[in-house]
Amino acid sequence: MAKARKRRRRLSMTSLIDVIFLLLLFFMLTSTFSKFSEVELAANAGTGAMAQTTPPVFLRLGQDSLSVNGDPLEITALAEGLPDTETTLIVALQDGVNAQRLTDLLVALRTFPKLTVTLLGAS
């Protein structure tokens, strides 16, 4: 009795190439849906004190908190805590505030054109 030799079939690469192509296509499409925006920052060191009719507003930004002149607020409720007159807003950053949290605040403050924002660093 002669044993029949089984011939090994070659491994097909077609399905592997199809999967890689689909993954590549998926990641290319998802990366184009990302939304980027700019937040304008300007440095005004040494400008001196300006005469103001209203006192400045003090905003303290924490990683999970926000307060305006000591009153706790949410970013979505900034219109209730900020005046509608020309004034300076002093933003103090607490320890642990990341760049995304600061960017969210600055984007929310864009809707107040009469505010002059001054950022203080965390200690």
Short mmCIF file of all heavy atoms in Angstrom, two decimals, residues 31-92:
data_model
loop_
_atom_site.label_atom_id
_atom_site.label_comp_id
_atom_site.label_asym_id
_atom_site.label_seq_id
_atom_site.Cartn_x
_atom_site.Cartn_y
_atom_site.Cartn_z
N SER A 31 -9.24 59.94 9.84
CA SER A 31 -8.36 61.07 10.15
C SER A 31 -8.79 62.33 9.42
O SER A 31 -8.47 63.43 9.86
CB SER A 31 -6.91 60.72 9.79
OG SER A 31 -6.77 60.60 8.40
N THR A 32 -9.52 62.23 8.33
CA THR A 32 -9.94 63.43 7.63
C THR A 32 -11.16 64.07 8.28
O THR A 32 -11.49 65.21 7.96
CB THR A 32 -10.28 63.12 6.15
OG1 THR A 32 -11.31 62.14 6.11
CG2 THR A 32 -9.07 62.63 5.40
N PHE A 33 -11.83 63.38 9.20
CA PHE A 33 -12.99 63.96 9.86
C PHE A 33 -12.63 64.73 11.12
O PHE A 33 -13.49 65.28 11.78
CB PHE A 33 -14.01 62.87 10.21
CG PHE A 33 -14.63 62.24 9.00
CD1 PHE A 33 -14.57 60.89 8.80
CD2 PHE A 33 -15.27 63.02 8.06
CE1 PHE A 33 -15.14 60.30 7.68
CE2 PHE A 33 -15.85 62.46 6.93
CZ PHE A 33 -15.79 61.10 6.75
N SER A 34 -11.36 64.78 11.48
CA SER A 34 -10.94 65.54 12.65
C SER A 34 -11.11 67.03 12.38
O SER A 34 -10.80 67.52 11.30
CB SER A 34 -9.49 65.25 12.98
OG SER A 34 -9.32 63.89 13.26
N LYS A 35 -11.60 67.73 13.40
CA LYS A 35 -11.81 69.16 13.26
C LYS A 35 -10.73 69.91 14.02
O LYS A 35 -10.53 69.68 15.21
CB LYS A 35 -13.19 69.54 13.81
CG LYS A 35 -13.50 70.99 13.68
CD LYS A 35 -14.86 71.30 14.27
CE LYS A 35 -15.10 72.79 14.24
NZ LYS A 35 -16.28 73.15 15.01
N PHE A 36 -10.03 70.78 13.34
CA PHE A 36 -8.99 71.58 13.96
C PHE A 36 -9.43 73.04 13.96
O PHE A 36 -10.09 73.50 13.03
CB PHE A 36 -7.67 71.44 13.20
CG PHE A 36 -7.11 70.05 13.24
CD1 PHE A 36 -7.26 69.18 12.18
CD2 PHE A 36 -6.43 69.61 14.36
CE1 PHE A 36 -6.75 67.91 12.21
CE2 PHE A 36 -5.91 68.33 14.40
CZ PHE A 36 -6.07 67.48 13.33
N SER A 37 -9.06 73.74 15.00
CA SER A 37 -9.36 75.17 15.05
C SER A 37 -8.18 75.88 15.69
O SER A 37 -7.32 75.27 16.30
CB SER A 37 -10.64 75.44 15.83
OG SER A 37 -10.47 75.06 17.18
N GLU A 38 -8.17 77.17 15.55
CA GLU A 38 -7.09 77.98 16.11
C GLU A 38 -7.62 78.80 17.27
O GLU A 38 -8.75 79.27 17.25
CB GLU A 38 -6.53 78.93 15.05
CG GLU A 38 -5.79 78.25 13.94
CD GLU A 38 -5.22 79.25 12.95
OE1 GLU A 38 -5.40 80.47 13.15
OE2 GLU A 38 -4.59 78.82 12.00
N VAL A 39 -6.77 78.96 18.26
CA VAL A 39 -7.05 79.86 19.37
C VAL A 39 -5.95 80.90 19.35
O VAL A 39 -4.77 80.58 19.49
CB VAL A 39 -7.07 79.10 20.72
CG1 VAL A 39 -7.27 80.07 21.85
CG2 VAL A 39 -8.15 78.05 20.70
N GLU A 40 -6.34 82.13 19.15
CA GLU A 40 -5.35 83.20 19.02
C GLU A 40 -4.87 83.63 20.40
O GLU A 40 -5.66 83.93 21.29
CB GLU A 40 -5.98 84.38 18.30
CG GLU A 40 -4.98 85.47 17.98
CD GLU A 40 -5.61 86.56 17.12
OE1 GLU A 40 -6.46 86.24 16.29
OE2 GLU A 40 -5.24 87.73 17.32
N LEU A 41 -3.56 83.66 20.57
CA LEU A 41 -2.94 84.14 21.80
C LEU A 41 -1.99 85.27 21.43
O LEU A 41 -1.26 85.20 20.46
CB LEU A 41 -2.14 83.03 22.49
CG LEU A 41 -2.93 81.81 22.97
CD1 LEU A 41 -1.99 80.77 23.53
CD2 LEU A 41 -3.94 82.21 24.01
N ALA A 42 -2.03 86.33 22.24
CA ALA A 42 -1.14 87.46 22.01
C ALA A 42 -0.44 87.80 23.30
O ALA A 42 -1.04 87.81 24.37
CB ALA A 42 -1.93 88.66 21.51
N ALA A 43 0.86 88.07 23.23
CA ALA A 43 1.64 88.44 24.41
C ALA A 43 1.72 89.96 24.47
O ALA A 43 2.13 90.61 23.52
CB ALA A 43 3.02 87.83 24.33
N ASN A 44 1.31 90.51 25.60
CA ASN A 44 1.33 91.97 25.80
C ASN A 44 2.14 92.30 27.04
O ASN A 44 1.65 92.98 27.95
CB ASN A 44 -0.09 92.52 25.95
CG ASN A 44 -0.90 92.39 24.68
OD1 ASN A 44 -0.34 92.42 23.60
ND2 ASN A 44 -2.19 92.23 24.82
N ALA A 45 3.35 91.86 27.11
CA ALA A 45 4.18 92.12 28.28
C ALA A 45 4.59 93.58 28.31
O ALA A 45 4.97 94.16 27.31
CB ALA A 45 5.41 91.22 28.25
N GLY A 46 4.48 94.18 29.48
CA GLY A 46 4.94 95.55 29.67
C GLY A 46 4.05 96.61 29.08
O GLY A 46 4.52 97.68 28.71
N THR A 47 2.75 96.39 28.99
CA THR A 47 1.87 97.38 28.41
C THR A 47 1.49 98.46 29.41
O THR A 47 1.02 99.51 29.03
CB THR A 47 0.57 96.74 27.88
OG1 THR A 47 -0.06 96.02 28.94
CG2 THR A 47 0.88 95.82 26.72
N GLY A 48 1.67 98.21 30.70
CA GLY A 48 1.34 99.21 31.70
C GLY A 48 -0.12 99.14 32.08
O GLY A 48 -0.92 98.45 31.48
N ALA A 49 -0.47 99.88 33.10
CA ALA A 49 -1.85 99.86 33.60
C ALA A 49 -2.72 100.79 32.76
O ALA A 49 -2.33 101.90 32.44
CB ALA A 49 -1.87 100.29 35.06
N MET A 50 -3.90 100.30 32.43
CA MET A 50 -4.84 101.10 31.67
C MET A 50 -5.92 101.59 32.62
O MET A 50 -6.32 100.90 33.55
CB MET A 50 -5.48 100.26 30.55
CG MET A 50 -4.49 99.79 29.53
SD MET A 50 -5.15 98.69 28.24
CE MET A 50 -6.88 98.75 28.39
N ALA A 51 -6.41 102.77 32.39
CA ALA A 51 -7.49 103.31 33.22
C ALA A 51 -8.79 102.62 32.82
O ALA A 51 -9.19 102.65 31.67
CB ALA A 51 -7.60 104.81 33.01
N GLN A 52 -9.41 101.98 33.82
CA GLN A 52 -10.65 101.27 33.56
C GLN A 52 -11.74 101.83 34.46
O GLN A 52 -11.49 102.25 35.59
CB GLN A 52 -10.50 99.78 33.84
CG GLN A 52 -9.70 99.04 32.84
CD GLN A 52 -9.75 97.54 33.12
OE1 GLN A 52 -9.96 97.13 34.24
NE2 GLN A 52 -9.56 96.76 32.09
N THR A 53 -12.96 101.78 33.94
CA THR A 53 -14.09 102.22 34.75
C THR A 53 -14.65 101.08 35.57
O THR A 53 -15.29 101.32 36.59
CB THR A 53 -15.20 102.79 33.85
OG1 THR A 53 -15.58 101.78 32.92
CG2 THR A 53 -14.71 104.01 33.10
N THR A 54 -14.41 99.85 35.16
CA THR A 54 -14.90 98.69 35.90
C THR A 54 -13.71 97.90 36.45
O THR A 54 -12.66 97.84 35.81
CB THR A 54 -15.74 97.76 35.00
OG1 THR A 54 -14.93 97.33 33.92
CG2 THR A 54 -16.97 98.47 34.47
N PRO A 55 -13.87 97.30 37.62
CA PRO A 55 -12.78 96.49 38.16
C PRO A 55 -12.61 95.21 37.35
O PRO A 55 -13.56 94.74 36.73
CB PRO A 55 -13.22 96.19 39.59
CG PRO A 55 -14.70 96.31 39.56
CD PRO A 55 -15.02 97.35 38.52
N PRO A 56 -11.42 94.64 37.35
CA PRO A 56 -11.22 93.39 36.60
C PRO A 56 -12.00 92.24 37.23
O PRO A 56 -12.31 92.25 38.42
CB PRO A 56 -9.71 93.16 36.67
CG PRO A 56 -9.26 93.93 37.84
CD PRO A 56 -10.19 95.08 37.99
N VAL A 57 -12.29 91.24 36.41
CA VAL A 57 -12.98 90.03 36.85
C VAL A 57 -11.93 88.94 37.02
O VAL A 57 -11.06 88.78 36.16
CB VAL A 57 -14.06 89.61 35.83
CG1 VAL A 57 -14.73 88.32 36.25
CG2 VAL A 57 -15.07 90.72 35.65
N PHE A 58 -12.01 88.21 38.13
CA PHE A 58 -11.04 87.17 38.42
C PHE A 58 -11.67 85.81 38.18
O PHE A 58 -12.70 85.47 38.78
CB PHE A 58 -10.56 87.28 39.87
CG PHE A 58 -9.46 86.33 40.22
CD1 PHE A 58 -8.17 86.54 39.76
CD2 PHE A 58 -9.71 85.23 41.01
CE1 PHE A 58 -7.16 85.67 40.07
CE2 PHE A 58 -8.70 84.34 41.32
CZ PHE A 58 -7.43 84.56 40.86
N LEU A 59 -11.07 85.02 37.30
CA LEU A 59 -11.56 83.68 36.98
C LEU A 59 -10.50 82.67 37.37
O LEU A 59 -9.35 82.80 36.97
CB LEU A 59 -11.87 83.56 35.49
CG LEU A 59 -12.55 82.29 35.01
CD1 LEU A 59 -13.53 82.61 33.91
CD2 LEU A 59 -11.56 81.28 34.53
N ARG A 60 -10.88 81.70 38.19
CA ARG A 60 -9.95 80.63 38.59
C ARG A 60 -10.36 79.36 37.87
O ARG A 60 -11.49 78.90 38.00
CB ARG A 60 -10.00 80.42 40.09
CG ARG A 60 -9.01 79.39 40.58
CD ARG A 60 -9.11 79.21 42.08
NE ARG A 60 -8.87 80.45 42.78
CZ ARG A 60 -7.71 80.80 43.34
NH1 ARG A 60 -6.70 79.98 43.29
NH2 ARG A 60 -7.58 81.95 43.96
N LEU A 61 -9.41 78.80 37.10
CA LEU A 61 -9.69 77.61 36.30
C LEU A 61 -8.94 76.42 36.89
O LEU A 61 -7.72 76.44 37.00
CB LEU A 61 -9.26 77.82 34.85
CG LEU A 61 -9.47 76.66 33.89
CD1 LEU A 61 -10.96 76.39 33.71
CD2 LEU A 61 -8.82 76.93 32.56
N GLY A 62 -9.70 75.40 37.28
CA GLY A 62 -9.13 74.15 37.75
C GLY A 62 -9.45 73.05 36.75
O GLY A 62 -10.22 73.25 35.81
N GLN A 63 -8.88 71.88 36.99
CA GLN A 63 -9.12 70.76 36.07
C GLN A 63 -10.60 70.38 36.06
O GLN A 63 -11.15 70.08 35.02
CB GLN A 63 -8.26 69.56 36.46
CG GLN A 63 -8.41 68.38 35.53
CD GLN A 63 -8.06 68.69 34.08
OE1 GLN A 63 -7.20 69.52 33.79
NE2 GLN A 63 -8.74 68.05 33.16
N ASP A 64 -11.25 70.43 37.22
CA ASP A 64 -12.66 70.05 37.30
C ASP A 64 -13.53 71.18 37.83
O ASP A 64 -14.70 70.96 38.18
CB ASP A 64 -12.83 68.81 38.20
CG ASP A 64 -12.10 67.61 37.64
OD1 ASP A 64 -12.13 67.42 36.42
OD2 ASP A 64 -11.50 66.86 38.44
N SER A 65 -12.99 72.38 37.95
CA SER A 65 -13.75 73.48 38.54
C SER A 65 -13.47 74.78 37.80
O SER A 65 -12.48 74.91 37.09
CB SER A 65 -13.39 73.64 40.01
OG SER A 65 -12.03 74.00 40.14
N LEU A 66 -14.38 75.72 38.00
CA LEU A 66 -14.24 77.06 37.42
C LEU A 66 -15.01 78.00 38.33
O LEU A 66 -16.14 77.71 38.73
CB LEU A 66 -14.83 77.09 36.01
CG LEU A 66 -14.72 78.41 35.28
CD1 LEU A 66 -14.17 78.17 33.89
CD2 LEU A 66 -16.04 79.08 35.19
N SER A 67 -14.39 79.12 38.69
CA SER A 67 -15.09 80.09 39.52
C SER A 67 -14.80 81.49 38.98
O SER A 67 -13.70 81.79 38.54
CB SER A 67 -14.68 79.98 40.99
OG SER A 67 -13.33 80.33 41.15
N VAL A 68 -15.83 82.33 39.04
CA VAL A 68 -15.72 83.73 38.61
C VAL A 68 -15.96 84.59 39.84
O VAL A 68 -17.04 84.55 40.44
CB VAL A 68 -16.73 84.06 37.50
CG1 VAL A 68 -16.68 85.54 37.14
CG2 VAL A 68 -16.47 83.21 36.28
N ASN A 69 -14.93 85.35 40.23
CA ASN A 69 -14.97 86.17 41.44
C ASN A 69 -15.41 85.35 42.66
O ASN A 69 -16.16 85.80 43.51
CB ASN A 69 -15.88 87.39 41.26
CG ASN A 69 -15.27 88.41 40.34
OD1 ASN A 69 -14.05 88.47 40.17
ND2 ASN A 69 -16.10 89.22 39.72
N GLY A 70 -14.96 84.10 42.73
CA GLY A 70 -15.25 83.23 43.86
C GLY A 70 -16.53 82.43 43.75
O GLY A 70 -16.78 81.55 44.57
N ASP A 71 -17.36 82.72 42.76
CA ASP A 71 -18.62 81.98 42.59
C ASP A 71 -18.40 80.83 41.61
O ASP A 71 -18.01 81.06 40.46
CB ASP A 71 -19.72 82.90 42.05
CG ASP A 71 -20.03 84.05 42.99
OD1 ASP A 71 -19.94 83.82 44.21
OD2 ASP A 71 -20.36 85.15 42.50
N PRO A 72 -18.68 79.59 42.02
CA PRO A 72 -18.49 78.46 41.10
C PRO A 72 -19.46 78.51 39.93
O PRO A 72 -20.63 78.85 40.09
CB PRO A 72 -18.74 77.23 41.98
CG PRO A 72 -19.39 77.72 43.21
CD PRO A 72 -19.16 79.18 43.33
N LEU A 73 -18.93 78.20 38.74
CA LEU A 73 -19.72 78.19 37.50
C LEU A 73 -19.28 77.03 36.63
O LEU A 73 -18.23 76.44 36.84
CB LEU A 73 -19.51 79.48 36.71
CG LEU A 73 -20.28 80.73 37.08
CD1 LEU A 73 -19.87 81.87 36.16
CD2 LEU A 73 -21.76 80.51 37.00
N GLU A 74 -20.07 76.77 35.63
CA GLU A 74 -19.69 75.85 34.56
C GLU A 74 -19.27 76.69 33.35
O GLU A 74 -19.68 77.84 33.22
CB GLU A 74 -20.87 74.95 34.17
CG GLU A 74 -21.29 73.99 35.26
CD GLU A 74 -20.24 72.92 35.53
OE1 GLU A 74 -19.60 72.46 34.57
OE2 GLU A 74 -20.06 72.58 36.71
N ILE A 75 -18.48 76.10 32.47
CA ILE A 75 -18.05 76.84 31.26
C ILE A 75 -19.26 77.24 30.42
O ILE A 75 -19.27 78.31 29.83
CB ILE A 75 -17.05 76.00 30.44
CG1 ILE A 75 -15.70 75.97 31.15
CG2 ILE A 75 -16.86 76.55 29.04
CD1 ILE A 75 -14.62 75.23 30.42
N THR A 76 -20.27 76.42 30.39
CA THR A 76 -21.46 76.72 29.58
C THR A 76 -22.28 77.87 30.16
O THR A 76 -23.10 78.45 29.47
CB THR A 76 -22.35 75.48 29.46
OG1 THR A 76 -22.68 75.02 30.78
CG2 THR A 76 -21.64 74.38 28.69
N ALA A 77 -22.05 78.24 31.43
CA ALA A 77 -22.82 79.30 32.09
C ALA A 77 -21.99 80.56 32.29
O ALA A 77 -22.27 81.36 33.18
CB ALA A 77 -23.37 78.81 33.42
N LEU A 78 -20.96 80.77 31.47
CA LEU A 78 -20.10 81.94 31.63
C LEU A 78 -20.83 83.25 31.41
O LEU A 78 -20.48 84.27 31.98
CB LEU A 78 -18.90 81.85 30.68
CG LEU A 78 -17.74 81.01 31.17
CD1 LEU A 78 -16.67 80.91 30.10
CD2 LEU A 78 -17.15 81.56 32.44
N ALA A 79 -21.85 83.26 30.58
CA ALA A 79 -22.58 84.49 30.30
C ALA A 79 -23.24 85.05 31.56
O ALA A 79 -23.42 86.26 31.68
CB ALA A 79 -23.63 84.24 29.22
N GLU A 80 -23.57 84.20 32.51
CA GLU A 80 -24.20 84.65 33.75
C GLU A 80 -23.19 85.31 34.68
O GLU A 80 -23.55 86.21 35.44
CB GLU A 80 -24.84 83.46 34.47
CG GLU A 80 -25.90 82.77 33.67
CD GLU A 80 -26.30 81.43 34.28
OE1 GLU A 80 -25.88 81.14 35.42
OE2 GLU A 80 -27.02 80.68 33.62
N GLY A 81 -21.93 84.91 34.63
CA GLY A 81 -20.95 85.41 35.57
C GLY A 81 -20.07 86.52 35.05
O GLY A 81 -19.35 87.15 35.83
N LEU A 82 -20.10 86.78 33.75
CA LEU A 82 -19.22 87.80 33.18
C LEU A 82 -20.02 89.05 32.80
O LEU A 82 -21.13 88.95 32.28
CB LEU A 82 -18.50 87.25 31.95
CG LEU A 82 -17.55 86.09 32.21
CD1 LEU A 82 -16.96 85.59 30.91
CD2 LEU A 82 -16.45 86.49 33.17
N PRO A 83 -19.45 90.24 33.03
CA PRO A 83 -20.16 91.47 32.67
C PRO A 83 -20.18 91.68 31.16
O PRO A 83 -19.35 91.14 30.43
CB PRO A 83 -19.35 92.56 33.37
CG PRO A 83 -17.99 91.99 33.51
CD PRO A 83 -18.16 90.51 33.68
N ASP A 84 -21.13 92.50 30.71
CA ASP A 84 -21.26 92.78 29.28
C ASP A 84 -20.56 94.08 28.90
O ASP A 84 -20.76 94.61 27.83
CB ASP A 84 -22.74 92.85 28.90
CG ASP A 84 -22.95 92.75 27.40
OD1 ASP A 84 -22.08 92.19 26.72
OD2 ASP A 84 -23.98 93.27 26.91
N THR A 85 -19.75 94.62 29.80
CA THR A 85 -19.02 95.86 29.54
C THR A 85 -17.55 95.53 29.26
O THR A 85 -17.10 94.42 29.50
CB THR A 85 -19.12 96.80 30.75
OG1 THR A 85 -18.55 96.13 31.88
CG2 THR A 85 -20.56 97.17 31.03
N GLU A 86 -16.83 96.54 28.78
CA GLU A 86 -15.40 96.34 28.53
C GLU A 86 -14.69 96.21 29.86
O GLU A 86 -14.74 97.10 30.70
CB GLU A 86 -14.82 97.52 27.74
CG GLU A 86 -15.12 97.43 26.28
CD GLU A 86 -14.27 98.39 25.47
OE1 GLU A 86 -13.10 98.61 25.84
OE2 GLU A 86 -14.77 98.90 24.48
N THR A 87 -14.04 95.09 30.03
CA THR A 87 -13.32 94.83 31.27
C THR A 87 -12.20 93.84 31.03
O THR A 87 -12.13 93.21 29.97
CB THR A 87 -14.27 94.31 32.38
OG1 THR A 87 -13.56 94.25 33.61
CG2 THR A 87 -14.81 92.95 32.04
N THR A 88 -11.33 93.73 32.01
CA THR A 88 -10.24 92.77 31.94
C THR A 88 -10.62 91.53 32.72
O THR A 88 -11.12 91.62 33.84
CB THR A 88 -8.95 93.38 32.54
OG1 THR A 88 -8.60 94.53 31.78
CG2 THR A 88 -7.81 92.39 32.48
N LEU A 89 -10.39 90.38 32.13
CA LEU A 89 -10.62 89.10 32.79
C LEU A 89 -9.27 88.50 33.11
O LEU A 89 -8.46 88.24 32.21
CB LEU A 89 -11.42 88.16 31.88
CG LEU A 89 -11.67 86.77 32.43
CD1 LEU A 89 -12.63 86.83 33.61
CD2 LEU A 89 -12.22 85.86 31.35
N ILE A 90 -9.01 88.29 34.39
CA ILE A 90 -7.75 87.68 34.82
C ILE A 90 -8.03 86.20 35.08
O ILE A 90 -8.86 85.86 35.92
CB ILE A 90 -7.22 88.36 36.09
CG1 ILE A 90 -6.96 89.84 35.80
CG2 ILE A 90 -5.95 87.67 36.57
CD1 ILE A 90 -6.61 90.65 37.03
N VAL A 91 -7.35 85.34 34.34
CA VAL A 91 -7.55 83.89 34.44
C VAL A 91 -6.36 83.30 35.17
O VAL A 91 -5.22 83.38 34.70
CB VAL A 91 -7.70 83.24 33.05
CG1 VAL A 91 -7.86 81.74 33.17
CG2 VAL A 91 -8.87 83.84 32.31
N ALA A 92 -6.62 82.72 36.34
CA ALA A 92 -5.59 82.04 37.12
C ALA A 92 -5.74 80.54 36.94
O ALA A 92 -6.83 79.99 37.13
CB ALA A 92 -5.70 82.41 38.60
#
